[in-house]
């Protein structure tokens, strides 16, 4: 087995989920990631915890092929909360989820409406998983390499360079941005003449993502006050959602809600996201990408949202840990990240002070305020 896979498993077990003896852990990934599953089981056994494995793809009810067959066959009105899946995560102490693919477009012929109905039905299951010690990660499968436009070997190098890092050093570097954001009132983001948006983060919590949930990590993120978002955003990187690519997604916000939108490709997918429920047309996250080992767009949001010189905003659910005490949490069955390139003609302003310009932070060499 590739030694990098074993190192990946060590980081998951000992850092990301901090597994303890007698913990019950759900390992959730499809057969194409069996090497990672084996390495995880070795680590879990050494700790003395209790693993249980379920095969799954992007959605948590089975492999991508099986899930496609189910969603195409089931009546939308028959989709309901699965009690057995809910109980699984309610009784688990930890969960490790990997999302490689055998066919990245397997579910491309599942309608956006059916997908949104599924997300609503499984909303509490997702929340139960997120209440455990959880880690979401990637195994470098050939289909994902193909989607990224890379050879399998090059994609393996890309994945492990981004995942198997000195995360203590990452934490220290990113903490400088956390200190800027935590306690701030207003964030203003400008990119060219297509993005100019403001939002309040007053009393919200800014988190340092250094490998405790997502692997790869490499972002600083918080939640906007739900009704505070004003302005327009053009997400100039594609949104790859439910096996369909949305290009040129543009949103206009007033009073925190999306009041107008468009896309140059697959606008119906964007509309399906926005109309899922009451919270899906408001922002639940503002994230700032800081992992410069992720230096190319790969159509995999687990990586792309961490890419240096970017920010991302997520429609839908806010992570509870980012919501301050006594502040409204935006809740939704959706959490869909979308990316803005901040490498040129761009800046981030916090409480009237420019803290990043053209991808360079004020605490880095070369910053020009």
């Amino acid at each position: 087995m590739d030694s990098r896979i074993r190192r990946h498993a060590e980081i998951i077990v000992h850092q990301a989920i901090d597994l303890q003896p007698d913990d019950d852990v759900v390992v959730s990934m499809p057969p194409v990631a069996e090497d990672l599953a084996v390495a995880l089981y070795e680590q879990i056994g050494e700790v003395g915890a209790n693993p249980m494995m379920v095969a799954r793809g992007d959605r948590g009810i089975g492999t991508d092929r099986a899930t496609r067959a189910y969603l195409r066959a089931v009546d939308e009105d028959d989709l309901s909360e699965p009690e057995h899946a809910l109980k699984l995560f309610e009784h688990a102490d930890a969960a490790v989820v990997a999302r490689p693919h055998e066919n990245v477009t397997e579910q491309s012929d599942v309608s956006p409406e059916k997908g949104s109905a599924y997300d609503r039905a499984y909303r509490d299951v997702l929340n139960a998983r997120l209440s455990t010690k959880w880690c979401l990660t990637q195994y470098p499968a050939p289909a994902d390499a193909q989607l990224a436009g890379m050879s399998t070997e090059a994609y393996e190098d890309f994945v492990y360079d981004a995942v198997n890092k000195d995360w203590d050093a990452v934490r220290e570097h990113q903490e400088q941005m956390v200190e800027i954001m935590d306690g701030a009132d207003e964030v203003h983001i400008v990119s060219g003449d297509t993005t100019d948006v403001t939002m309040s983060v007053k009393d919200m919590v800014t988190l340092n993502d250094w490998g405790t949930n997502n692997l790869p990590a490499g972002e600083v993120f918080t939640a906007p006050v739900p009704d505070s978002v004003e302005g327009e955003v053009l997400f100039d990187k594609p949104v790859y959602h439910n096996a369909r690519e949305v290009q040129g997604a543009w949103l206009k916000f007033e009073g925190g809600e999306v009041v107008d939108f468009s896309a140059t490709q697959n606008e119906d997918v964007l509309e399906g996201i926005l109309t899922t429920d009451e919270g899906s047309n408001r922002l639940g996250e503002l994230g700032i990408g800081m992992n410069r080992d992720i230096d190319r767009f790969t159509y995999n949001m687990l990586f792309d949202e961490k890419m240096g010189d970017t920010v991302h905003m997520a429609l839908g659910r806010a992570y509870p840990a980012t919501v301050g005490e006594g502040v409204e949490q935006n809740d939704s069955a959706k959490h869909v990240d979308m990316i803005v390139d901040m490498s040129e003609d761009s800046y981030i302003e916090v409480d009237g002070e420019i803290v990043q310009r053209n991808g360079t932070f004020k605490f880095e060499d070369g910053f020009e305020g």
Side-chain angles (χ1 to χ4, degrees):
M1 183 184 294
D2 190 325
S3 63
R4 297 175 299 180
I5 299 175
R6 284 199 164 90
R7 177 59 184 149
H8 187 183
E10 290 174 0
I11 293 172
I12 292 170
V13 168
H14 297 289
Q15 175 179 305
I17 62 174
D18 188 24
L19 202 63
Q20 300 298 312
D22 296 324
D23 276 353
D24 295 328
V25 55
V26 177
V27 177
S28 177
M29 56 192 65
V32 70
E34 185 176 17
D35 278 355
L36 178 57
V38 170
L40 282 168
Y41 266 53
E42 290 176 343
Q43 292 294 320
I44 293 167
E46 290 180 5
V47 168
N50 308 311
M52 174 183 177
M53 186 170 175
V54 294
R56 59 154 284 166
D58 268 345
R59 291 190 166 106
I61 57 175
T63 63
D64 286 337
R65 284 186 66 200
T67 299
R68 171 191 175 272
Y70 172 75
L71 289 177
R72 285 176 59 84
V74 70
D75 189 290
E76 187 173 316
D77 293 334
D78 291 334
L79 282 165
S80 60
E81 181 177 273
E83 287 289 336
H84 55 325
L86 181 61
K87 295 298 184 184
L88 173 64
F89 289 107
E90 284 181 341
H91 289 278
D93 298 300
V96 180
V97 178
R99 298 190 304 192
H101 299 87
E102 293 182 354
N103 178 357
V104 294
T105 59
E106 187 67 59
Q107 296 179 32
S108 60
D109 53 2
V110 174
S111 71
E113 294 80 12
K114 188 73 71 71
S116 293
Y118 163 85
D119 289 334
R120 289 191 295 269
Y122 276 71
R123 180 175 179 168
D124 288 345
V125 176
L126 176 60
N127 287 336
R129 176 167 67 79
L130 293 176
S131 69
T132 71
K133 299 183 294 184
W134 60 271
C135 176
L136 175 64
T137 194
Q138 178 71 29
Y139 180 81
D144 298 285
Q146 186 175 32
L147 183 64
M150 303 170 71
S151 68
T152 302
E153 181 179 0
Y155 188 64
E156 289 171 348
D157 292 341
F158 170 80
V159 168
Y160 293 124
D161 284 348
V163 167
N164 295 342
K165 293 168 63 80
D166 181 349
W167 290 111
D168 287 333
V170 170
R171 177 178 55 185
E172 292 179 9
H173 178 69
Q174 293 181 172
E175 192 62 29
Q176 298 173 92
M177 192 62 200
V178 173
E179 291 173 359
I180 291 171
M181 293 283 292
D182 225 14
D185 286 344
E186 184 178 84
V187 179
H188 182 202
I189 297 170
V190 174
S191 181
D193 58 4
T194 57
T195 293
D196 190 335
V197 63
T198 60
M199 63 193 71
S200 172
V201 294
K202 182 176 174 60
D203 298 325
M204 294 303 195
V205 180
T206 303
L207 297 182
N208 186 344
D209 174 35
W210 60 278
T212 53
N213 289 127
N214 287 343
L215 278 175
E219 65 170 302
V220 166
F221 65 104
T222 189
V225 176
D227 63 359
S228 71
V229 186
E230 300 282 346
E232 301 181 15
V233 186
L234 176 67
F235 297 97
D236 43 19
K237 297 295 185 183
V239 180
Y240 198 73
H241 184 69
N242 292 347
R244 297 176 70 194
E245 181 179 346
V246 180
Q247 289 273 7
W250 171 83
L251 303 177
K252 181 178 180 179
F253 292 90
E254 291 180 3
E257 295 187 350
V258 176
V259 296
D260 197 7
F261 68 92
S262 65
T264 58
Q265 178 179 315
N266 285 327
E267 186 176 292
D268 63 319
V269 176
L270 179 60
E271 183 177 13
I273 295 168
L274 291 167
T275 57
T276 298
D277 51 37
E278 185 177 350
S280 64
N281 73 334
R282 301 195 298 181
L283 290 184
E285 181 189 356
L286 168 65
I288 301 169
M290 299 183 68
N291 188 336
R292 293 198 174 104
D293 282 324
I294 302 173
D295 56 2
R296 60 184 293 166
F297 187 82
T298 63
Y299 291 90
N300 183 334
M301 192 56 69
L302 182 62
F303 288 77
D304 298 337
E305 68 174 1
K306 317 300 191 321
M307 188 164 44
D309 304 346
T310 66
V311 299
H312 58 275
M313 304 171 204
L315 288 167
R317 183 182 59 259
Y319 292 113
T322 64
V323 179
E325 186 175 352
V327 185
E328 178 189 1
Q329 176 189 341
N330 195 49
D331 193 18
S332 173
K334 290 288 190 182
H335 181 96
V336 181
D337 295 290
M338 300 188 288
I339 298 172
V340 180
D341 184 352
M342 299 292 289
S343 62
E344 296 181 358
D345 194 22
S346 304
Y347 63 86
I348 301 173
E349 189 177 58
V350 178
D351 291 342
E353 179 187 7
I354 293 177
V355 300
Q356 186 206 65
R357 187 183 293 278
N358 299 335
T360 303
F361 296 98
K362 64 175 292 187
F363 46 82
E364 294 180 317
D365 292 339
F367 174 74
E368 297 180 0

